[in-house]
Amino acid sequence: MWRQAKWDVEILTEIDNSTARGSGPEVPFTHQFKDIELEVPEELARKTEPNIPSLSELEVVRHFIRLSQMSFGVDAGMIPLGSCTMKYNPKILDALALNSEIEFLHPLQDEDTVQGLLEILYTTERWLAEIVGLDKCVFQPPAGSAGEFAGALIIRKYHLDRGEPRDEMLIPDSAHGSNFASAAMAGFKVVKIPTRGDGCVDLDALKAIASNRTAGIMLTNPNTLGIFEKDILEIAEAIHDIGGLLYYDGANLNGIMGIARPGDMGFDIVHLNLHKTFATPHGGGGPGGGVLCVRRDLIDYLPRPILVREGGKLRWDYSCGKCIGMVRAYHGNITSALRTFGYIAMLGPKGLREVAETTIINTNYFIKRVLEKPYYELPYSPEKPRKHEVVLSAKKILNDTGVSAEDISKRLLDHGVHAPTMYFPPIVDEALMIEFTESEPKREIDRFVEILHRIAEEAYRDPSKVKGSPTATSVGRLDLVKANHPKTLAPSTRYVRGEGGSR
Amino acid sequence: MWRQAKWDVEILTEIDNSTARGSGPEVPFTHQFKDIELEVPEELARKTEPNIPSLSELEVVRHFIRLSQMSFGVDAGMIPLGSCTMKYNPKILDALALNSEIEFLHPLQDEDTVQGLLEILYTTERWLAEIVGLDKCVFQPPAGSAGEFAGALIIRKYHLDRGEPRDEMLIPDSAHGSNFASAAMAGFKVVKIPTRGDGCVDLDALKAIASNRTAGIMLTNPNTLGIFEKDILEIAEAIHDIGGLLYYDGANLNGIMGIARPGDMGFDIVHLNLHKTFATPHGGGGPGGGVLCVRRDLIDYLPRPILVREGGKLRWDYSCGKCIGMVRAYHGNITSALRTFGYIAMLGPKGLREVAETTIINTNYFIKRVLEKPYYELPYSPEKPRKHEVVLSAKKILNDTGVSAEDISKRLLDHGVHAPTMYFPPIVDEALMIEFTESEPKREIDRFVEILHRIAEEAYRDPSKVKGSPTATSVGRLDLVKANHPKTLAPSTRYVRGEGGSR
Amino acid sequence: MYHVWIPNSSEELKKDMLRYIGRSFDELIEDIPRELILRRDLEVGFGRPLSEYELIRIYRSYMDKNRKPKIPPFMGGGLCPTYIPQVVRYLASRGEFYTAYTPYQPEINQGILQALFEYQSMMAELYSIDVVNASMYDGSTAVAEAFRLAMRVTRRKAILAPEIMNPFYRRVAETWIEPVGGKIIYYRVDRGGQPDLEDLEDKADRETAAIYLENPTYLGNIVEKPEELKNIAGKTGSLYIVFSEPTSLAIFKPPGEYGADIIVGEGASLGLGLNYGGTTLGILGVRRDQSLIRQLPGKLVGMTTDLKGSERGFTLILQTREQHIRRERATSNITTNAALMAVQAAIYISYLGMSGLRRLAETIARKTRYAIDHIYRRREYMNLAIGARYFYREVPIRFRGDYGTIYRRLVDQGIYPGIRLDPLLKGFSNCGLFCFSDVHSRDDIDLLFESIDKVI
Amino acid sequence: MYHVWIPNSSEELKKDMLRYIGRSFDELIEDIPRELILRRDLEVGFGRPLSEYELIRIYRSYMDKNRKPKIPPFMGGGLCPTYIPQVVRYLASRGEFYTAYTPYQPEINQGILQALFEYQSMMAELYSIDVVNASMYDGSTAVAEAFRLAMRVTRRKAILAPEIMNPFYRRVAETWIEPVGGKIIYYRVDRGGQPDLEDLEDKADRETAAIYLENPTYLGNIVEKPEELKNIAGKTGSLYIVFSEPTSLAIFKPPGEYGADIIVGEGASLGLGLNYGGTTLGILGVRRDQSLIRQLPGKLVGMTTDLKGSERGFTLILQTREQHIRRERATSNITTNAALMAVQAAIYISYLGMSGLRRLAETIARKTRYAIDHIYRRREYMNLAIGARYFYREVPIRFRGDYGTIYRRLVDQGIYPGIRLDPLLKGFSNCGLFCFSDVHSRDDIDLLFESIDKVI
Ligand SMILES: Cc1ncc(COP(=O)(O)O)c(C=O)c1O
Ligand SMILES: Cc1ncc(COP(=O)(O)O)c(C=O)c1O
C-alpha cells in the first residue's frame, strides 16, 4: 500500500509578512560598503513592495522539503513515460557537474584558463560524434527542440546557399510535436507523411510527396511506436536523391545506441538529448542538454562558436562564414556535457551497447507479459519487436467499460508508479506509451504489468473506482476546466489579486 | 491535514538474491591487479554466503529515498524533544564538514600537513573555552555522555592524586540518566539529591549529604525542568568547601549561552554537546560531538592528546603525566568541531547570545499560551520563568480521561509534529518535556499550542480517538510487548531465521 | 556485461527474459538492416567501464589543467559570478525534484507544481507584471521568444532594439527571427547610455512589432526615462519589451511600473552560478492581456482545485499553446525548459526574502559606486566608457592603453578583469565590461585596481 | 539582533512576545544571580555575524594551509583512506535522516528504524553472529564496551589481549575498565604474528573474563587458527571477543564461524571516510545468548507489528538496559551513538552488495600481495616486520635505515607513507604500518616504492 506524503504548505507569496518579520541572511561584505553612498534617486526607485516574505532559513528548508515529498522523481519510483527516457541519473555525475569549481567559470573566460574543461568538452564531443556516426558536434542547443530548430536552420541555409531555397519539411504523422514546431519556426511548411499499417513511414507516400520543394525530412528511428524504420536506407536514398537532407531526432537513440548509428543510416544532422540517452536529470522539466552533430560537409553551418584544437590548445571558433548564427548565448549546458562525459566513461563502449540491449529486452519482455491478458492491445504489427518503447492502446477497455487511458493513468498513480505518456502518438487511440529504459529492474516491470492487469480488471468490475482515482496522491484529480477557464485562470497570486494589485 | 508517506519497502537481507542478480559496482583498479595471486587458503576462507543482495544502484537509491520519506527530521517539522535541543542544522555547515578534503585526512598525519585544520580546531576550542568560562578544551569525547565519563574520571583521578580517594558522586534526582551511568562507569557510588518544591536542588539536603566522601557533583544548569539553579553559587561553595569538584552537564547550555557562564558559576569541568547547542545534526541518534573543558589547574588531567601551540605551530601533545588516559581513539569528532567553528563564526558574539535570548522567550511565550486553557499543568513554581525548556504534566488529563502523556504524544504525531520527551524527568508525573530552541518560529509554536489544546479537548470528548493514535504516520501504534518479549525478539533477520542459520 | 546502473544486465537475467520472450536478442533486432549493425565496439570512453573513483581521478587530472584566479572574476556581460547559498544547493538537489519529469500528472507532483507556481508568482511580484511562465532556457532565447511573441500578437515584423543590446542576445535573436521574416532595427543610444528618443521616434512606425529595452543596459547603466519608450510604442501600436536583471528590481523601478507589455530576464544571478554559461534561466512574462497570454510560449502553472472543489491544487495550464498539442501552430517548439532552475531561483529568492534581496541589490549598487570612484581616481588612464549617472553591477571602462595587453597581464596574475568589449560591440575598442557582484570584497576591488595600476 | 537562523529574533517579534508574556527579558532571567550575568560580548568568532560566503573564504584561507599529498596516503593503523561512493553521500544527506533524533517515537520514524535494523542484520550476516547493536561511537570504545560487557557477564576482571593490540584501542580500553577494577593482561604473539597459545594457556584462568583477538591483527596479518583461542576460553569459562575489519569478512572466515561470543569492529571503511579520525562507527555484537543480549550496551532495533498485528514495524527494543531507564545500573552511559554512520554503512554495503564487497576485499588482498612483492624485491633495506603468511590491507615494514628520516622525506615529496610504529608498539622501531586500500592504483603503489628507493 503506497501513499504519498501530504503537507499543508502555504504559498510563499501569500505568507503574511507580519508573521515572518525576518530580514534575510547576511549579504557578503555589506558592512564594508556601508560608507558608500547608495545612489537610487527617487524617480528611479522601486515604489511597490513585492509580496515576497522574509523567512528564516528553517522555514525555507521545511517549505521545500515538504514540497519535495509531494513530488515524484525516478529516485522515488518508476516513471515509464514513453519518449521521455526517464532513466536513472547516476549520483556520481552530480559530483562532476555541481561543484564550486564549475560554478565560478565564466563563459568568456580566457581559453588558456579553462583548457582542462575544454579538453573534457572536446573529448565528449568526439565520443558523441562516434556514437552517432557523424563528424562534428556542438553543445550549444539548450535542449532537443532547440537542436531540431538549429538543424532545420542548417537545412534551410544549406539550400539557400546552393541557390535553391526549399520550403517544405517532411515529418511523419507519428512524430513528436516539437519536430513540427521547430520546422515551422525555421520557416518551413510542414508536410506530414502517413504511417503504414506496419508502424513504419509509408515509403510510397513519402516518395510521392518528396519533390524539389522538399528541404528534408525529420525522423526519429526507432520511431515513436518503438519500431525501427526498416526502410531507412531507402528513405535516405529517396531524400538524398531529390537533394534533401535527413535530420535525426535523437530522442530515441536509447533503443539503438552501440547497435546502429544514425550517420550510417544516412542522416546528415542529428540532435541528442543529453537528458534522455545520457542520463542528465530532467529536473521536473529541465534544464536538459542538447547536442547537434553533422556530417563533415555541414560543419560550416553549425551554430557558433565551435570548439577547435589549434596547436595543441583548444579554443572557441566564433567565425561564422556560412553558419546559421547562434541558437543560444555561449556554449550550451555545460553541466549536462560534464555528466555525459562521466556517463560514457563509466559505462565504456560495452556498457553503452548494454544500455540499448537491456532496454530492448525490457520492452519486449513487458510486451509479452502485458499481452498475456486480453485487456490492452498493441496496434501496428504486434508481432514486430519494439526497441526503446511500446505504445499500447486502451481502446478496448474504453469501449467496454468507459474507463479511458487517462483514467488508467490516474489509477496507476495510486500504486506509487508514474503514469505512461498518454494520447501520444496521436495515431494510436487511447495510447499508453511506455518506456522503461535500461534502468528498471525486472521486478519493477513485473509489478507494473500486474498493476496494469489489476486496473483493467477493476475497470470491468468497478469502473467508478478507476474513474475516481487517484486517491493515494497528495491531492485528488484536479479540475482542469477551472484551471484553464479565463474567468478562473490563476497563473500567479498577483494575477489572482487583480491587475496591478499589490499590498 | 498531514499524512506521512508510506511505501512497502523490503528488508534488504530478505531480498531474494535470485531476483537481484547483479554483481555490484566496479571496484577501483581491480583490473590492474587481476594478475596477482589471491591468497586465501581454503581453511581461512569464508564459507557461508551472507544474505546481502547485489542490487542495482537505482534500487539502492529508491530503497533509502523511500525510507527517508518515512522518517522525520527537523528539516521536515518540529521536534520539540526536551533535553535534546533539536535545533536547525544550518546547511552551510555541511559544506565545511563534508568534503573530499576532510575525508582523506588521516588522524596520524604529520602535523605539518594539517596546520590549517589544526588552526580551526584550536580557534574553535578557544571560543568554546570562552563561552563556558574555562581554560582549556578537548574534542576527544565522542558525545556528551563520554564527556561526563571523562569528567568523572578526572574527578576520580584528582582525588586519588591528592591522596584522598573519594567514592561518592552527588547527582540531583532530576538529572539525565547518563549522569548516573557515567558516574557509575567511573567507579562512583551515586548519591541522589532531591529537588525542592521550587524545582531547584534542595540546598539543605545537599549540604547534609555532602561529606568528605563526596568527590563532586554533576549538575546541569538550567536544570532539566528548565529552571535556573539560583543557588548555584552557594552550591559551588558548599562543594568546594568540602574539597569536591563541580561538573557541568552542558546539554542545557542553550538556555544561557552568552548570558551566564558555567565557569563563572564555579564549575570546574564542563562538557558540551556540539550536537545540541552548536547545531551539529543528530543523525537519527548520532554521531554528535562532545567537548570537555576544564579549569587551568585540571588541564593535566584531560584525556590525551591535547592541542598545543609551540613556536607558531600547532601539534598534538600526547604526554600523559596525570592524565586520565584516552576516552576514544584520536582527536574526537572532527566534523562536529568544524561545524561548530562555522556556527559560532556565522552567529558572532551577539548572535550566540540571541540564541539564548530567543530560546528563553520562546519557552515562556509557550508556557503562557499553553496554560491559558486548563488542561496541562506546570509543576514546580509555575510562576518562575523557564529557560531552554519546560516540563508540563498531563496528570490531570490522565486522571480525568484515562489519556496518558504517551497517548497525547502519539496523537501529536498525527499533526505532523514530533512528540516531546515523555516521562522525563521522573520527578514529574505524566511529564511532557518541551524544548523549542531558538529555531522554531512563533507561528509553529502557536500551532503547537493549538494542537495540544485540541488533543486535550479530544481526550475529554473522545478518548479512544487519542488512544487509537497515531493514524497519519506510516504505521500505527506498535506492539512493544511483542518487540521485547524473548519469544518474539527480532533484532536481526539472521536471529529470526534461527541461530547460525544461513541460506 | 553487468553494470550496476543497468539492473537487468546480468547475463543470467537477460537469458531468462529472452527465454520468456521466446526470441534471441538478434531476433529482437532483426528488423535493423544487417549492414547497419555495428560489428565493433564504439571508440568511446576509456575502453572499459570505470569505477567512480577512477572517474574522479581522471576528471581531476583534466580539471587541474584549468587555472584558478586568486580572487573572484570581474567578468560581466550579463553573467557575473555569484554565491549560491548552501540551502539552495541542498534543496535543489532533492531527488524528488531533480529526477522528476515535467509534471504532466499533476496529482503526483504537487510539490514541483507549487514551487513553479511560486517562482511565477515571485517573478510577477519582482517585475510587477501578472503572468510569468515556468521558465525559458536562458535570457537570450527568452528575448528571442519575446520578439517572436510580439511579432505574432501584432502581426508585424520589425523589432527596435538598442545599439548596445547584449551582443550575444542580439545574435541569438537574429538567428531566431530571421527565418520567419523578422528583423531587428537598432536605435541609437546617447553618450550617457540613454536611448536616443528622437532616433527611436524616427524609426518606430506601423511596422514596429515592439520596442525593446534593456534596463539596466548591457553596459550596466540605468535608463532614466523608460516610460518614454512606452509612449513611443503606444503611438505606433507596438509592444514594449523590457529586459531586466532581476536583482536590480529590488531597488529600481520594475518594468511593469513603467508600462512593459512583455518582460524578460536572465535568472542566473538568483543562486544558479555561472557554470561556464551553462545553467541559466530565461524569465519571460506578459501583462494581463488575453492575447498576450494566449501567445505566450512555454509552460505555465496555474492554481485550481480538485474536482470536488475542496482542496487547492496546481497544474500546467493553457497547454493548447504548446508543441505537444498544437504542433506546427504552437507558440514555440520549447519542450524541455529550465524548470529546476526556476525552482532553484524560487528557493534563492525565498531564502533571501525581500529584505535580503534589497540588501543584496543595495550592496551591489554601493560596490558599483565604489568601483566607479576607483575609476575616477585614475582619470589619466581610464574612464567610464559611457557617461551615465547610475550604474548597477556592471561598469564599462575605457582604457587609454591597449586593453588586450592589460587584460592578458592581469589574467596571468590570477586576476580576471572585465570582458573585452572590443570584438563584441562596435565603438568600444579598449573597453572592458566589469562586474561587481556579491562575491567581491572591498579588498578584491582594491586589488583589482591596484593590479591595473601596476600592469598599465 | 536578527539572524536568519533564529526566526523570532527580530526586535518587533520579540517585543510582541514579551508583551504577551507580560515580562521584560530581564525579568525572565532575574533568577540568575546578577553577578553571573555577562555584561560584555563573548570574545568569539569574528566580532560580527558572517555571511556564508565570507565564512567559506575564511575557511578556505585556513584549509589552504594544509598540504595535500600527490597520491592517496598509505597510512594505516585501523583507519585507511577509502572512497565514499556518491550514492552513499547522497542518501546519507537526506534531511529526514540526518536531522532526525533517536527514533523514540517509532511510528513516525520507520525509515530510520528499518535502515538501522538492516544495518544490524547485514552486520550480523557479515560477522556471522546473531545480534549487532545499532552502533557504538567507534572501534576503540566498542572494544572497551565489549570488555566491560564480558566483565559484567562473567563477573570477572581480567581481559587477555594480544601484545600487538591496536595501541590506541589499548589505551582507550585501559582508561575505560580501570575504574571498575578491570585489567588487561597481554599475551605474546609469535614472529609470524600468531597468538602464542602456550603463553595464552598460561595466562588464562578462572579470573579471565575474556580472551580478545584482533583478526586481521593490528599489523594486518591473518590469524591462522583462531578457533584455538575459543578452546582456551572454553576451558576457563571465559568469553571470546574478536575484533575484525568488516571488509575482510567478505573473503575471510568470520568470527561467528570460529566461536566468537562477542564481535567488535570499526566501520570507517564502509563508506564513511577518514575525516581525521572523526567519523567512525563502532560495531558491537553478541551471540544469541540471553545473558549476553541483556548485557549488551547501546541501542538495539527490533522488528515487531502494529498493535493490530497487521503490519510490520520496527522499534527500539530492550531499552531497560539503557541509561535513560536504568540510570546508574545501565549497561552503559551511551546515549548519542553513531546511528547515521550505521545507516551510511548500510547504504554502502547494499550498494556494493555481496559481490561488490567480495571483489573489493579480493582486490585489496591482491594489492596487499602486490605491495609485499615490492618489499621482497627490496630485501637489502626493508622487510616485513612480522613473518606472517597472509596479510590483508595493512603491512608492517621494517626498514634498515631510520624510518623517521625516510618518512619525513617522503612526506615532503607529497607521499604519505605508513604510520610510524615506533612510538606506538614496543619492539617495532624503524617500522611503518602501510595500508593498501581501494583508492590505491598500481601506479600509486609503484610510485611509493620507487620514492622510497630514492630517499633511502
Ligand atoms: C521524440 C522526441 N523528440 C523531441 C523531443 C524534444 O526534446 P527536448 O525536450 O529536449 O526539447 C522529445 C522530448 O521531449 C521527444 O520525445
Ligand atoms: C541533560 C542531558 N545530559 C546528557 C546527555 C547525554 O549527551 P549525549 O547524548 O551527547 O551523550 C543528554 C542528551 O542526550 C542530556 O539531555
Side-chain angles (χ1 to χ4, degrees), chain C residues 182-217:
Chain C
K183 67 175 185 301
I184 308 181
I185 297 165
Y186 295 93
Y187 60 82
R188 258 183 260 133
V189 170
D190 68 21
R191 297 230 183 116
Q194 307 299 321
D196 180 334
L197 296 176
E198 273 174 41
D199 187 47
L200 243 176
E201 297 245 30
D202 277 2
K203 285 171 176 163
D205 59 23
R206 301 262 142 208
E207 303 288 282
T208 308
I211 296 177
Y212 172 68
L213 176 71
E214 292 174 352
N215 188 18
T217 72

Side-chain angles (χ1 to χ4, degrees), chain B residues 180-434:
Chain B
F180 302 92
S182 300
M185 279 173 60
F188 287 108
K189 188 167 152 295
V190 172
V191 181
K192 292 201 183 77
I193 323 208
T195 298
R196 251 183 349 226
D198 69 348
C200 291
V201 161
D202 189 329
L203 188 59
D204 297 334
L206 181 140
K207 285 185 178 160
I209 291 166
S211 72
N212 62 1
R213 290 184 58 186
T214 305
I217 186 168
M218 297 178 82
L219 271 185
T220 175
N221 191 15
N223 64 27
T224 59
L225 295 170
I227 295 174
F228 191 88
E229 295 284 358
K230 66 181 171 50
D231 305 325
I232 183 60
L233 293 170
E234 275 192 76
I235 296 174
E237 207 185 323
I239 297 295
H240 283 153
D241 276 356
I242 52 136
L245 294 177
L246 277 87
Y247 182 87
Y248 182 83
D249 173 348
N252 297 344
L253 185 73
N254 215 51
I256 53 161
M257 179 162 57
I259 295 174
R261 308 192 304 169
D264 298 342
M265 298 174 202
F267 286 98
D268 305 289
I269 310 171
V270 168
H271 89 245
L272 297 174
N273 311 63
L274 300 179
H275 46 294
K276 297 182 195 266
T277 319
F278 297 94
T280 286
H282 282 79
V291 176
L292 194 67
C293 306
V294 294
R295 252 199 298 125
R296 188 168 315 281
D297 49 333
L298 294 173
I299 295 176
D300 289 349
Y301 290 94
L302 281 175
R304 268 11 183 204
I306 61 172
L307 199 50
V308 295
R309 193 185 289 281
E310 254 176 29
K313 285 220 169 147
L314 288 161
R315 66 166 191 85
W316 291 108
D317 179 358
Y318 281 87
S319 69
C320 175
K322 296 179 172 174
C323 100
I324 57 161
M326 218 175 240
V327 292
R328 67 159 286 183
Y330 312 121
H331 318 300
N333 189 340
I334 299 307
T335 52
S336 288
L338 292 171
R339 287 176 191 273
T340 300
F341 172 77
Y343 184 74
I344 298 174
M346 292 264 302
L347 282 164
K350 291 214 171 23
L352 280 188
R353 189 183 186 282
E354 194 66 49
V355 163
E357 186 168 326
T358 313
T359 294
I360 294 173
I361 294 175
N362 287 348
T363 309
N364 290 287
Y365 173 81
F366 167 76
I367 293 172
K368 180 83 188 275
R369 283 218 51 186
V370 77
L371 294 183
E372 258 172 11
K373 297 202 177 174
Y375 307 122
Y376 303 90
E377 292 165 312
L378 178 57
Y380 298 98
S381 328
E383 78 296 337
K384 243 193 200 171
R386 300 307 202 251
K387 299 287 169 293
H388 63 296
E389 69 193 350
V390 56
V391 184
L392 298 178
S393 168
K395 196 165 88 184
K396 185 167 173 304
I397 299 175
L398 177 67
N399 291 343
D400 293 352
T401 70
V403 165
S404 66
E406 174 168 19
D407 295 328
I408 294 168
S409 296
K410 297 297 177 192
R411 188 64 176 142
L412 275 165
L413 305 182
D414 277 340
H415 293 86
V417 291
H418 198 281
T421 300
M422 315 180 293
Y423 303 104
F424 178 73
I427 55 169
V428 173
D429 291 334
E430 297 300 309
L432 291 171
M433 187 190 210
I434 296 162

